[in-house]
């Protein structure tokens, strides 16, 4: 009742929605970098979004089913096949016992997700199955591991039109505690600047690069460390912005120029290296309305799921299908 891992890329971890309520003990939320992908996988498999999935950073792996299992693939599109036959991304499929799913390199974006019916049954820790590498909670998945799943073969061959969020774009932000420390000229330049996601990026955060001088706040050396959350944009001593992600530290003293809205964090996390990002300030009232619309869209995901029509050329056992069921004799 599991997926046997034959090959696996680096930094692939089991993730769910993360654990909350432990910031005062120095433990940040962790959880999937792209929370929307969790909801998409849940919709495709007809289950709750609290189920754990495998998060694949840039590269997937090869997985063998030990029992029939329903799977779904969401997030950043990756090359994928079952026993050599290509399969559609952002869709659900059946793995029969002994079949192998191969997930290759990412084609766009950063994080892809492998879901299983019933979720990946990793151990619970403080109410979550999420791996938190920086806190040494769990570890990255390795070749030879068994990913416990439930044997299922229903709710398969479904698809869902993905939300396009894998090439960067505009991130909406609200003012943070230290935003007033940045003068208006600096804030205006911040929103006019086209940033590029730099090479320094992981589940803790991602550095942004830009042309021209960096960004600095007045009196930033006197800022006391205080609580920070995913989405906060810190300005380092070099003037480069860092967008904090699920495994960010719980406190920090760098000035925060703004905070990315939770509904835009999937787009931020999925921006590939070199992808362009811009920022747009919105009011708190606008942010609340945007978040409410995002939650409503999540609730509608299951209604958007539709049957996946397979290409006959990609079905190796085509002759085993009953293709003329329901036909009647012309003489009757």
């Amino acid at each position: 009742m599991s997926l046997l891992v034959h090959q696996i890329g680096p930094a692939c971890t089991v993730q769910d929605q993360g654990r909350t309520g432990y910031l005062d003990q120095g433990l940040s939320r962790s959880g999937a970098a792209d929370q929307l992908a969790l909801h998409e996988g849940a919709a495709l498999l007809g289950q709750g979004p609290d189920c754990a999935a495998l998060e694949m950073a840039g590269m997937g792996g090869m997985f063998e089913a030990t029992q029939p299992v329903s799977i779904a693939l969401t997030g950043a599109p990756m090359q994928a096949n079952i026993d050599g036959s290509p399969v559609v991304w952002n869709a659900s499929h059946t793995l029969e016992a002994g079949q192998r799913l191969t997930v290759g390199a990412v084609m766009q974006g950063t994080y892809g997700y492998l879901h299983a019916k019933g979720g990946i049954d990793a151990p619970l820790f403080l109410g979550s199955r999420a791996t938190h590498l920086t806190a040494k909670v769990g570890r990255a998945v390795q070749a030879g591991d068994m990913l416990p799943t439930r044997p299922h073969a229903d709710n398969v061959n479904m698809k869902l039109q993905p939300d396009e969020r894998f090439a960067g774009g505009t991130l909406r932000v609200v003012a943070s505690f230290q935003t007033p420390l940045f003068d208006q000229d600096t804030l205006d330049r911040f929103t006019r600047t086209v940033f590029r996601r730099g090479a320094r990026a992981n589940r803790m955060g991602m550095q942004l690069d830009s042309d021209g001088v960096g960004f600095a706040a007045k009196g930033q050396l006197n800022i006391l460390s205080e609580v920070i959350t995913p989405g906060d944009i810190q300005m380092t001593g070099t003037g480069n912005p860092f967008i904090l992600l699920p495994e960010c530290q719980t406190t920090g003293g760098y000035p925060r120029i703004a905070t990315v809205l939770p509904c835009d964090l999937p787009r931020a996390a999925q921006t590939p290296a070199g992808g362009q990002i811009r920022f747009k300030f919105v009011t708190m009232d606008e942010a609340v309305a945007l978040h409410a619309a995002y939650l409503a869209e999540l609730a509608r995901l299951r209604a958007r799921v539709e049957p996946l029509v397979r290409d006959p050329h990609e079905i190796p056992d085509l002759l085993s299908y009953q293709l003329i069921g329901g036909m009647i004799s012309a003489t009757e």
Side-chain angles (χ1 to χ4, degrees):
M1 295 188 294
S2 59
L3 290 171
L4 171 60
V5 181
H6 286 285
Q7 299 173 7
I8 193 71
C12 293
T13 57
V14 174
Q15 298 294 341
D16 56 18
Q17 295 187 74
R19 51 185 63 83
T20 58
Y22 298 98
L23 286 178
D24 61 335
Q25 300 177 50
L27 184 62
S28 53
R29 174 177 61 82
S30 191
D34 182 351
Q35 292 281 322
L36 177 53
L38 285 185
H39 288 264
E40 290 171 337
L44 285 165
L45 292 173
Q47 60 194 21
D50 55 334
C51 291
L54 179 68
E55 180 179 273
M56 302 172 288
M59 177 67 69
M62 181 186 292
F63 313 90
E64 180 181 345
T66 62
Q67 296 285 338
V69 61
S70 301
I71 63 163
L73 301 165
T74 68
M78 294 174 158
Q79 300 169 339
N81 70 77
I82 295 176
D83 286 350
S85 296
V87 293
V88 177
W89 201 261
N90 233 62
S92 59
H93 309 277
T94 299
L95 279 179
E96 300 294 346
Q99 284 193 310
R100 293 191 178 190
L101 167 71
T102 301
V103 181
V106 68
M107 295 183 290
Q108 189 182 31
T110 303
Y111 296 101
Y113 294 83
L114 168 58
H115 310 257
K117 182 71 174 181
I120 294 176
D121 194 19
L124 274 172
F125 178 73
L126 299 178
S128 170
R129 292 182 168 84
T131 301
H132 195 315
L133 294 178
T134 54
K136 301 188 184 304
V137 177
R139 61 168 175 79
V141 175
Q142 301 174 3
D145 284 351
M146 301 286 281
L147 301 177
T149 65
R150 299 178 184 178
H152 274 281
D154 58 358
N155 290 88
V156 295
N157 294 331
M158 307 297 286
K159 66 178 180 179
L160 181 64
Q161 185 65 32
D163 176 77
E164 297 298 334
R165 57 188 184 278
F166 308 113
T170 298
L171 303 179
R172 294 161 296 188
V173 298
V174 292
S176 187
F177 288 123
Q178 282 95 42
T179 301
L181 297 180
F182 295 85
D183 60 45
Q184 193 58 50
D185 288 343
T186 300
L187 293 175
D188 291 342
R189 184 163 58 89
F190 176 72
T191 56
R192 290 197 308 265
T193 299
V194 177
F195 295 94
R196 301 176 300 277
R197 204 211 81 176
R200 296 182 60 191
N202 55 26
R203 285 179 44 80
M204 291 185 66
M206 49 189 283
Q207 178 180 312
L208 302 181
D209 300 326
S210 63
D211 300 325
V213 298
F215 300 81
K218 296 178 181 178
Q220 64 182 48
L221 297 180
N222 298 319
I223 295 175
L224 298 177
S225 292
E226 58 186 9
V227 175
I228 56 179
T229 64
D232 280 346
I233 305 172
Q234 287 187 323
M235 287 296 180
T236 62
T238 62
N240 290 100
F242 264 83
I243 302 178
L244 301 182
L245 295 176
E247 287 188 13
C248 65
Q249 68 274 30
T250 55
T251 62
Y254 285 119
R256 288 165 288 167
I257 194 169
T259 301
V260 179
L261 302 190
C263 56
D264 282 358
L265 271 180
R267 179 179 297 275
Q270 291 286 16
T271 300
Q276 294 186 343
I277 285 177
R278 300 190 68 162
F279 296 101
K280 177 184 178 182
F281 277 96
V282 297
T283 67
M284 190 58 68
D285 286 343
E286 290 172 325
V288 169
L290 288 168
H291 189 64
Y294 171 69
L295 294 179
E297 191 60 32
L298 292 182
R300 288 193 291 265
L301 279 176
R302 191 173 296 190
R304 289 173 43 204
V305 171
E306 57 186 359
L308 173 64
V309 179
R310 299 180 65 187
D311 186 341
H313 294 92
E314 297 177 356
I315 304 177
D317 56 344
L318 182 63
L319 294 180
S320 68
Y321 284 77
Q322 174 55 267
L323 301 178
I324 57 173
M327 297 296 288
I328 61 173
S329 169
T331 62
E332 290 182 358

